[in-house]
Amino acid sequence: MRILIVEDEAKTAGYLKQGLSESGYAVDIAVDGIDGLHKALEDDFDLVILDVMLPVLDGWGVLDGLRRRKQTPVLMLTARSRVDDRVRGLESGADDYLVKPFAFAELLARVRLLLKRNHKGNPSEVLDIGGLELDPVRHRAYRDGRKIELTSREFALLHLLMRRSGEVLTRTLIAANVWDVNFDTDTNIVDVAIRRLRAKVDDDCAAKLIHTVRGVGYVLEVREDE
């Protein structure tokens, strides 16, 4: 899942990006309100973490501009702790409001809750496809009851493939959602990651779930003839 952090304090933005990346999310950063609003409108993020006191355009302006066109969940993260600020944020369309300084564990719990709320099709969030089970909240994966040890990036990749099971995902889309990078044709980062993931998910099983669509990308699905 992709998260946009709109934060002008480099130390806070770096701290958030590291923690969220280690938790399996693809993270992008915008350092002012104009850049943040542009990215939030033009790209497909699952959540925006938004500061209020931003250069060029403050967080209130970003939230207002975003809500005119999109309903991407927004968690406001700011030093402004007055009750009227919190009320203003929630009444302006923010989905949650957290005051700095904050505990990362609490922020992560709120992020997971917002993402869960936004994916109503699967309230438990546990995905189960062909004996492959993935629990994003507990950060665990199993194949036929056998626990699979995954890195954070491998977990994010598997989560993406399972959430969009049956859909052929291009290398460009995978790179953007898992690594938050624009795909470079000179790199085989996606192919290498898929190969490693296959070794953990499919190699010991007769029925393969991760398939290559030549010239396009990859799909995770159950195929009756395999």
Side-chain angles (χ1 to χ4, degrees), residues 23-156:
S23 299
Y25 300 105
V27 180
D28 198 2
I29 294 175
V31 297
D32 64 58
I34 292 293
D35 186 36
L37 179 58
H38 176 76
K39 288 183 175 179
L41 291 176
E42 297 302 318
D43 294 335
D44 187 19
F45 290 100
D46 296 288
L47 176 71
V48 176
I49 297 177
L50 178 64
D51 190 13
V52 171
M53 294 177 283
L54 295 166
V56 189
L57 177 67
D58 66 21
W60 307 123
V62 175
L63 182 59
D64 180 63
L66 178 62
R67 282 292 172 260
R68 290 174 186 272
R69 288 177 47 187
K70 299 178 78 171
Q71 295 303 313
T72 308
V74 173
L75 189 162
M76 301 202 76
L77 182 63
T78 173
R80 299 180 65 148
S81 60
R82 298 187 310 180
V83 172
D84 56 345
D85 285 323
R86 300 185 193 199
V87 171
R88 179 181 178 184
L90 295 172
E91 289 188 342
S92 297
D95 298 88
D96 200 358
Y97 195 106
L98 184 61
V99 175
K100 299 174 182 175
F102 61 94
F104 183 79
E106 181 182 1
L107 178 130
L108 184 60
R110 290 173 184 252
V111 165
R112 286 172 170 165
L113 183 62
L114 288 173
L115 293 172
K116 179 179 179 180
R117 189 186 300 166
N118 197 44
H119 289 78
K120 298 177 181 177
N122 189 357
S124 70
E125 282 199 342
V126 176
L127 303 174
D128 190 345
I129 300 170
L132 176 62
E133 181 178 305
L134 183 142
D135 184 341
V137 175
R138 300 172 69 192
H139 211 273
R140 293 178 182 175
Y142 301 87
R143 180 76 191 267
D144 297 330
R146 172 182 57 85
K147 187 175 181 180
I148 305 170
E149 299 293 343
L150 300 172
T151 66
S152 295
R153 201 67 75 182
E154 290 167 346
F155 193 91

Side-chain angles (χ1 to χ4, degrees), residues 120-210:
K120 298 177 181 177
N122 189 357
S124 70
E125 282 199 342
V126 176
L127 303 174
D128 190 345
I129 300 170
L132 176 62
E133 181 178 305
L134 183 142
D135 184 341
V137 175
R138 300 172 69 192
H139 211 273
R140 293 178 182 175
Y142 301 87
R143 180 76 191 267
D144 297 330
R146 172 182 57 85
K147 187 175 181 180
I148 305 170
E149 299 293 343
L150 300 172
T151 66
S152 295
R153 201 67 75 182
E154 290 167 346
F155 193 91
L157 175 58
L158 183 59
H159 193 196
L160 173 66
L161 292 168
M162 293 185 72
R163 280 193 297 120
R164 300 177 68 162
S165 175
E167 179 182 349
V168 179
L169 304 181
T170 66
R171 291 173 176 81
T172 301
L173 186 148
I174 292 172
N177 279 270
V178 177
W179 285 268
D180 192 30
V181 296
N182 294 320
F183 186 68
D184 182 345
T185 54
D186 292 331
T187 180
N188 62 347
I189 184 174
V190 173
D191 300 311
V192 171
I194 288 285
R195 185 164 61 246
R196 290 175 176 168
L197 187 60
R198 272 180 169 149
K200 296 183 178 182
V201 171
D202 277 344
D203 276 7
D204 294 334
C205 301
K208 310 303 181 187
L209 295 175
I210 301 174

